[in-house]
Amino acid sequence: MINLYKIKEGDVEYTLGRFNGDTVTYDFKNILVYLEAKGKILFGEHFEIHKEDHKLLLKLCCYFIQDKDYCKANGIDLNKGILLSGPVGCGKTSLMNLLRNLSLKPKMFEIIAARNIVFAYNHLGTKTIQDFGNNKCYCFDDLGIEPVGKYYGSTYNVMGEVLLSRYELFLETKIKTHITTNLNATEIEKRYGSRVRSRMRQLFNQLTFNETTKDKRK
Protein backbone atom coordinates (compact mmCIF):
# COMPACT_ATOMS: atom_id res chain seq x y z
CA MET A 1 0.00 0.00 0.00
CA ILE A 2 1.30 3.44 -0.98
CA ASN A 3 0.78 6.32 1.45
CA LEU A 4 1.59 9.98 1.07
CA TYR A 5 4.55 11.14 3.14
CA LYS A 6 3.56 14.42 4.78
CA ILE A 7 4.92 16.96 7.23
CA LYS A 8 2.55 19.28 9.07
CA GLU A 9 3.34 22.89 9.92
CA GLY A 10 0.55 24.48 11.94
CA ASP A 11 -2.68 23.79 10.08
CA VAL A 12 -0.99 23.08 6.74
CA GLU A 13 0.17 19.66 5.54
CA TYR A 14 2.95 19.38 2.97
CA THR A 15 3.29 16.24 0.87
CA LEU A 16 6.98 15.47 0.32
CA GLY A 17 6.60 12.12 -1.42
CA ARG A 18 5.16 8.64 -1.18
CA PHE A 19 5.79 6.02 1.50
CA ASN A 20 5.46 2.30 0.73
CA GLY A 21 5.89 1.11 4.29
CA ASP A 22 9.65 0.76 3.93
CA THR A 23 11.06 3.69 2.00
CA VAL A 24 10.00 7.20 0.98
CA THR A 25 10.13 8.33 -2.67
CA TYR A 26 10.56 12.10 -2.49
CA ASP A 27 9.42 14.75 -4.95
CA PHE A 28 11.99 17.56 -5.15
CA LYS A 29 9.44 20.15 -6.33
CA ASN A 30 7.30 19.39 -3.28
CA ILE A 31 10.36 19.57 -1.04
CA LEU A 32 11.11 23.06 -2.39
CA VAL A 33 7.56 24.19 -1.55
CA TYR A 34 7.89 22.83 1.98
CA LEU A 35 11.36 24.27 2.59
CA GLU A 36 10.32 27.73 1.44
CA ALA A 37 7.24 27.62 3.67
CA LYS A 38 9.33 26.39 6.62
CA GLY A 39 11.89 29.08 5.90
CA LYS A 40 9.25 31.79 6.16
CA ILE A 41 8.21 30.36 9.54
CA LEU A 42 11.79 30.26 10.82
CA PHE A 43 13.29 33.38 9.24
CA GLY A 44 10.38 35.64 8.27
CA GLU A 45 8.20 36.34 5.24
CA HIS A 46 11.16 37.75 3.28
CA PHE A 47 12.71 34.28 3.03
CA GLU A 48 12.86 32.65 -0.39
CA ILE A 49 14.77 29.85 -2.05
CA HIS A 50 16.55 31.25 -5.09
CA LYS A 51 16.47 29.42 -8.40
CA GLU A 52 20.25 29.61 -8.78
CA ASP A 53 20.60 27.53 -5.60
CA HIS A 54 18.35 24.67 -6.78
CA LYS A 55 21.19 22.52 -8.13
CA LEU A 56 23.13 22.69 -4.88
CA LEU A 57 19.98 22.24 -2.82
CA LEU A 58 19.06 19.11 -4.78
CA LYS A 59 22.41 17.58 -3.80
CA LEU A 60 21.90 18.51 -0.16
CA CYS A 61 18.34 17.17 -0.12
CA CYS A 62 19.38 13.88 -1.70
CA TYR A 63 22.14 13.54 0.87
CA PHE A 64 19.83 14.13 3.82
CA ILE A 65 17.04 11.90 2.52
CA GLN A 66 19.68 9.23 1.80
CA ASP A 67 19.01 8.86 -1.92
CA LYS A 68 21.71 6.27 -2.56
CA ASP A 69 21.44 6.18 -6.37
CA TYR A 70 21.59 9.95 -6.82
CA CYS A 71 24.43 10.38 -4.32
CA LYS A 72 26.49 7.59 -5.87
CA ALA A 73 26.02 9.10 -9.34
CA ASN A 74 27.12 12.51 -8.07
CA GLY A 75 30.10 11.44 -5.98
CA ILE A 76 28.48 12.08 -2.61
CA ASP A 77 29.48 9.66 0.16
CA LEU A 78 26.55 9.04 2.51
CA ASN A 79 28.96 7.85 5.20
CA LYS A 80 30.62 11.28 5.43
CA GLY A 81 29.31 14.58 6.73
CA ILE A 82 28.74 17.79 4.77
CA LEU A 83 31.13 20.72 4.52
CA LEU A 84 29.05 23.52 3.02
CA SER A 85 31.11 26.49 1.89
CA GLY A 86 30.35 29.73 0.12
CA PRO A 87 30.49 33.52 0.30
CA VAL A 88 29.21 35.54 3.24
CA GLY A 89 25.41 35.73 3.32
CA CYS A 90 24.79 33.08 0.63
CA GLY A 91 22.46 31.10 2.91
CA LYS A 92 24.60 28.25 4.26
CA THR A 93 23.28 28.36 7.82
CA SER A 94 19.67 28.82 6.73
CA LEU A 95 19.82 25.77 4.46
CA MET A 96 21.33 23.55 7.15
CA ASN A 97 18.64 24.70 9.58
CA LEU A 98 15.97 23.85 7.04
CA LEU A 99 17.34 20.52 5.88
CA ARG A 100 17.35 18.99 9.35
CA ASN A 101 13.57 19.30 9.26
CA LEU A 102 13.12 16.94 6.31
CA SER A 103 12.70 13.91 8.56
CA LEU A 104 9.78 13.11 10.86
CA LYS A 105 12.36 11.92 13.36
CA PRO A 106 13.90 14.34 15.89
CA LYS A 107 16.25 16.84 14.27
CA MET A 108 19.16 15.02 12.65
CA PHE A 109 21.90 17.24 14.09
CA GLU A 110 22.47 20.16 16.43
CA ILE A 111 23.83 23.44 15.02
CA ILE A 112 26.49 25.13 17.15
CA ALA A 113 28.31 28.36 16.22
CA ALA A 114 32.07 27.73 16.17
CA ARG A 115 32.65 30.98 18.07
CA ASN A 116 30.42 29.75 20.90
CA ILE A 117 32.59 26.66 21.28
CA VAL A 118 35.63 28.92 21.66
CA PHE A 119 33.82 31.07 24.22
CA ALA A 120 33.00 27.91 26.18
CA TYR A 121 36.65 26.85 26.01
CA ASN A 122 37.74 30.23 27.37
CA HIS A 123 35.66 29.52 30.50
CA LEU A 124 36.03 25.74 30.88
CA GLY A 125 39.27 24.78 29.19
CA THR A 126 39.85 21.36 27.62
CA LYS A 127 36.55 20.01 28.99
CA THR A 128 34.97 21.79 26.01
CA ILE A 129 37.05 19.74 23.56
CA GLN A 130 35.93 16.58 25.33
CA ASP A 131 32.27 17.68 25.33
CA PHE A 132 32.20 18.15 21.55
CA GLY A 133 33.97 14.86 20.93
CA ASN A 134 30.91 13.04 22.25
CA ASN A 135 28.41 10.80 20.49
CA LYS A 136 26.18 13.55 19.06
CA CYS A 137 25.92 14.70 15.47
CA TYR A 138 26.79 18.40 15.19
CA CYS A 139 26.94 21.06 12.54
CA PHE A 140 29.66 23.57 13.41
CA ASP A 141 28.47 26.86 11.96
CA ASP A 142 30.71 29.59 10.54
CA LEU A 143 33.98 27.73 10.97
CA GLY A 144 36.83 30.16 10.48
CA ILE A 145 35.42 33.35 12.00
CA GLU A 146 35.88 32.21 15.61
CA PRO A 147 38.59 33.88 17.72
CA VAL A 148 41.65 32.09 19.06
CA GLY A 149 40.93 30.30 22.32
CA LYS A 150 42.53 31.64 25.49
CA TYR A 151 42.66 29.83 28.81
CA TYR A 152 44.83 30.95 31.72
CA GLY A 153 47.00 32.99 29.42
CA SER A 154 47.65 30.27 26.85
CA THR A 155 46.27 30.44 23.30
CA TYR A 156 44.74 27.42 21.63
CA ASN A 157 43.35 26.50 18.20
CA VAL A 158 40.10 25.21 19.68
CA MET A 159 38.21 24.24 16.54
CA GLY A 160 41.25 22.51 15.09
CA GLU A 161 41.37 20.28 18.16
CA VAL A 162 37.61 19.75 18.09
CA LEU A 163 37.83 18.58 14.47
CA LEU A 164 40.62 16.16 15.33
CA SER A 165 38.43 14.79 18.14
CA ARG A 166 35.51 14.44 15.74
CA TYR A 167 37.78 12.55 13.34
CA GLU A 168 38.68 10.04 16.05
CA LEU A 169 35.00 9.72 16.93
CA PHE A 170 34.14 9.12 13.27
CA LEU A 171 36.70 6.33 12.98
CA GLU A 172 35.30 4.63 16.07
CA THR A 173 31.56 5.16 15.64
CA LYS A 174 30.89 6.58 12.11
CA ILE A 175 29.04 9.50 13.76
CA LYS A 176 29.06 12.40 11.31
CA THR A 177 30.01 16.03 11.62
CA HIS A 178 28.78 18.87 9.39
CA ILE A 179 30.30 22.31 8.86
CA THR A 180 29.42 25.64 7.27
CA THR A 181 32.28 27.98 6.40
CA ASN A 182 33.29 30.96 4.27
CA LEU A 183 36.80 29.49 3.89
CA ASN A 184 38.16 27.63 0.89
CA ALA A 185 40.45 24.60 1.19
CA THR A 186 43.66 26.66 1.14
CA GLU A 187 42.35 29.00 3.84
CA ILE A 188 41.27 26.04 5.99
CA GLU A 189 44.77 24.56 5.80
CA LYS A 190 46.38 27.91 6.63
CA ARG A 191 44.19 28.37 9.70
CA TYR A 192 44.02 24.81 11.05
CA GLY A 193 47.07 23.09 9.55
CA SER A 194 47.66 20.30 7.04
CA ARG A 195 46.85 17.61 9.63
CA VAL A 196 43.31 18.91 10.09
CA ARG A 197 42.76 19.49 6.39
CA SER A 198 43.89 15.93 5.58
CA ARG A 199 41.38 14.48 8.04
CA MET A 200 38.64 16.76 6.78
CA ARG A 201 38.89 15.06 3.40
CA GLN A 202 37.89 11.83 5.13
CA LEU A 203 35.19 13.47 7.24
CA PHE A 204 33.30 15.55 4.67
CA ASN A 205 31.67 15.82 1.29
CA GLN A 206 32.47 19.37 0.18
CA LEU A 207 29.55 21.18 -1.44
CA THR A 208 30.02 24.78 -2.49
CA PHE A 209 27.88 27.74 -3.44
CA ASN A 210 28.95 29.53 -6.58
CA GLU A 211 31.50 32.21 -5.65
CA THR A 212 29.32 34.82 -7.38
CA THR A 213 26.30 34.03 -5.18
CA LYS A 214 24.90 37.30 -3.85
CA ASP A 215 24.56 38.21 -0.19
CA LYS A 216 20.92 37.40 0.53
CA ARG A 217 20.91 39.41 3.72
CA LYS A 218 21.18 42.70 1.84
Side-chain angles (χ1 to χ4, degrees):
M1 181 178 179
I2 302 295
N3 296 306
L4 296 178
Y5 178 69
K6 298 180 179 182
I7 290 182
K8 190 171 183 179
E9 295 290 346
D11 296 327
V12 182
E13 281 191 334
Y14 297 90
T15 300
L16 302 189
R18 295 178 178 274
F19 181 61
N20 65 7
D22 181 43
T23 57
V24 178
T25 302
Y26 287 85
D27 184 311
F28 184 59
K29 290 182 180 178
N30 288 352
I31 288 177
L32 288 177
V33 171
Y34 166 69
L35 291 178
E36 185 152 300
K38 183 67 174 180
K40 291 183 184 299
I41 293 171
L42 292 175
F43 310 119
E45 285 298 319
H46 64 281
F47 179 84
E48 64 176 307
I49 292 176
H50 296 261
K51 187 174 181 180
E52 61 265 29
D53 296 336
H54 283 191
K55 186 176 180 179
L56 173 62
L57 186 53
L58 175 60
K59 291 181 179 179
L60 287 166
C61 286
C62 287
Y63 170 84
F64 282 113
I65 65 176
Q66 300 284 285
D67 186 327
K68 295 179 182 178
D69 292 338
Y70 178 92
C71 288
K72 183 178 181 180
N74 287 273
I76 299 170
D77 188 338
L78 290 173
N79 295 310
K80 297 181 181 181
I82 292 292
L83 191 160
L84 183 59
S85 61
V88 173
C90 64
K92 300 180 294 292
T93 305
S94 298
L95 286 189
M96 293 301 281
N97 265 296
L98 283 176
L99 289 164
R100 63 185 184 149
N101 291 283
L102 276 182
S103 173
L104 289 176
K105 299 176 182 178
K107 288 185 172 58
M108 293 180 276
F109 52 87
E110 184 177 351
I111 298 179
I112 303 285
R115 66 180 180 277
N116 289 346
I117 297 174
V118 176
F119 295 155
Y121 171 84
N122 292 345
H123 288 287
L124 302 172
T126 55
K127 180 181 183 298
T128 302
I129 310 297
Q130 297 166 1
D131 288 345
F132 286 99
N134 64 24
N135 290 344
K136 283 187 177 180
C137 184
Y138 290 106
C139 174
F140 299 131
D141 189 36
D142 270 340
L143 182 78
I145 69 167
E146 75 279 359
V148 173
K150 294 182 179 180
Y151 189 68
Y152 283 98
S154 298
T155 59
Y156 202 60
N157 190 333
V158 176
M159 288 308 301
E161 291 301 319
V162 168
L163 289 172
L164 291 175
S165 294
R166 298 298 297 183
Y167 173 75
E168 295 298 329
L169 179 68
F170 175 72
L171 292 182
E172 293 172 8
T173 66
K174 300 304 178 185
I175 291 176
K176 300 172 188 174
T177 304
H178 307 299
I179 281 176
T180 71
T181 183
N182 301 330
L183 304 183
N184 60 36
T186 301
E187 291 167 334
I188 287 173
E189 182 167 358
K190 183 177 180 181
R191 183 174 178 108
Y192 300 104
S194 58
R195 186 169 171 233
V196 170
R197 183 183 174 187
S198 173
R199 283 153 178 78
M200 289 176 76
R201 293 190 186 99
Q202 295 176 262
L203 277 172
F204 303 111
N205 298 283
Q206 183 166 0
L207 298 177
T208 307
F209 279 87
N210 191 299
E211 63 182 14
T212 62
T213 303
K214 64 182 180 181
D215 187 339
K216 300 179 178 72
R217 293 178 294 197
K218 292 182 178 179

